[in-house]
Amino acid sequence: MRTQNKLNRVNNPRKWIWMLIEFIVIEKVLENGILVPVILKLPYGNLTSNILYKGIEVFLVLALNAWLIKQKLYFSTNVSLKTTLFFLFGVGYISLFISSGPMKLLLPIILWTLLTAISEELLFRGVILGDLFKRLTHRHLTKRSVAIAIGLSSLLFSLQHLSNLVNQSLLDTVCQMIETFGMGILLAAVYVRTGSLITTIFTLNCQIKCNTKNLFLEVV
């Protein structure tokens, strides 16, 4: 019976699309309607609040996925010369952006950027892209179906930044959305190519580290 229900969900596009929309809506309502207001009321600084916020968001995504989507998350990665060089290059790149600022803030900022990358990759690549990829390619794995899955997940990744209109201009928000759409395509391609969230988390973490020096200045 469970197998039959699972097949029905796969063969009924309207049903699984609505399940995915339900997942996204519930996640965003809980995040922006409950989690953010509660975090803002706590007597913590910006950095501590962001760490707590992103940590809870990670557990929220995992819990909702286990409840609604049940999408398998892939973390294993093959150890090869290419992946070794990739991670070594990333570590060297990150070190360029953490060479200045108070040392007491180094570990908290690393934790914050890591949790940010984990939460976003679990949601947009792990759950959303993973589910779209599975549903759109369950019959035939074609370039078109893969491109649609990557495009839709990247679009959703971009649209989430509309909430930044509260804190910045329309032009800045549009530019950020274009940037994140391109970044979403890159991360989705990395996930499809490597089959591991570890590589996408590491890639996004490297990108977030570009703002580390500005964050140092904001916190001090």
Side-chain angles (χ1 to χ4, degrees), residues 88-107:
L88 288 176
F89 175 80
V91 170
Y93 179 76
I94 289 174
S95 66
L96 295 176
F97 297 95
I98 60 176
S99 59
S100 63
M103 290 304 297
K104 67 179 181 179
L105 297 177
L106 181 58
L107 289 179

Side-chain angles (χ1 to χ4, degrees), residues 49-211:
S49 296
N50 280 324
I51 291 174
L52 183 60
Y53 164 47
K54 289 300 178 181
I56 295 175
E57 188 177 23
V58 169
F59 287 103
L60 177 61
V61 172
L62 290 174
L64 285 176
N65 179 51
W67 176 41
L68 288 174
I69 305 298
K70 297 178 176 59
Q71 171 59 38
K72 185 177 179 180
L73 303 173
Y74 300 91
F75 293 96
S76 61
T77 183
N78 295 325
V79 178
S80 64
L81 179 60
K82 287 184 178 180
T83 56
T84 301
L85 291 176
F86 170 74
F87 282 106
L88 288 176
F89 175 80
V91 170
Y93 179 76
I94 289 174
S95 66
L96 295 176
F97 297 95
I98 60 176
S99 59
S100 63
M103 290 304 297
K104 67 179 181 179
L105 297 177
L106 181 58
L107 289 179
I109 286 179
I110 290 176
L111 178 60
W112 170 71
T113 56
L114 182 59
L115 287 173
T116 300
I118 291 173
S119 63
E120 293 194 357
E121 289 311 294
L122 285 177
L123 176 58
F124 290 99
R125 257 60 64 181
V127 178
I128 294 177
L129 174 62
D131 193 64
L132 286 171
F133 189 86
K134 179 175 63 179
R135 308 300 184 182
L136 293 173
T137 64
H138 75 278
R139 289 183 177 176
H140 301 288
L141 180 61
T142 63
K143 291 182 179 180
R144 182 173 179 270
S145 60
V146 173
I148 291 174
I150 290 177
L152 287 175
S153 64
S154 301
L155 180 61
L156 291 172
F157 184 52
S158 174
L159 289 175
Q160 75 154 342
H161 293 83
L162 276 172
S163 59
N164 291 336
L165 280 170
V166 178
N167 304 314
Q168 60 189 24
S169 67
L170 176 61
L171 179 60
D172 289 339
T173 302
V174 171
C175 290
Q176 187 179 34
M177 290 175 65
I178 294 173
E179 177 187 358
T180 52
F181 179 73
M183 193 67 190
I185 292 176
L186 172 63
L187 292 168
V190 170
Y191 188 41
V192 171
R193 177 69 175 176
T194 64
S196 175
L197 285 171
I198 292 178
T199 52
T200 65
I201 290 170
F202 187 77
T203 303
L204 183 58
N205 196 38
C206 289
Q207 190 271 337
I208 295 173
K209 284 295 190 298
C210 293
N211 299 321

Side-chain angles (χ1 to χ4, degrees), residues 23-34:
F23 171 87
I24 296 171
V25 170
I26 292 176
E27 196 278 333
K28 290 304 174 185
V29 168
L30 291 176
E31 177 187 345
N32 298 311
I34 299 177

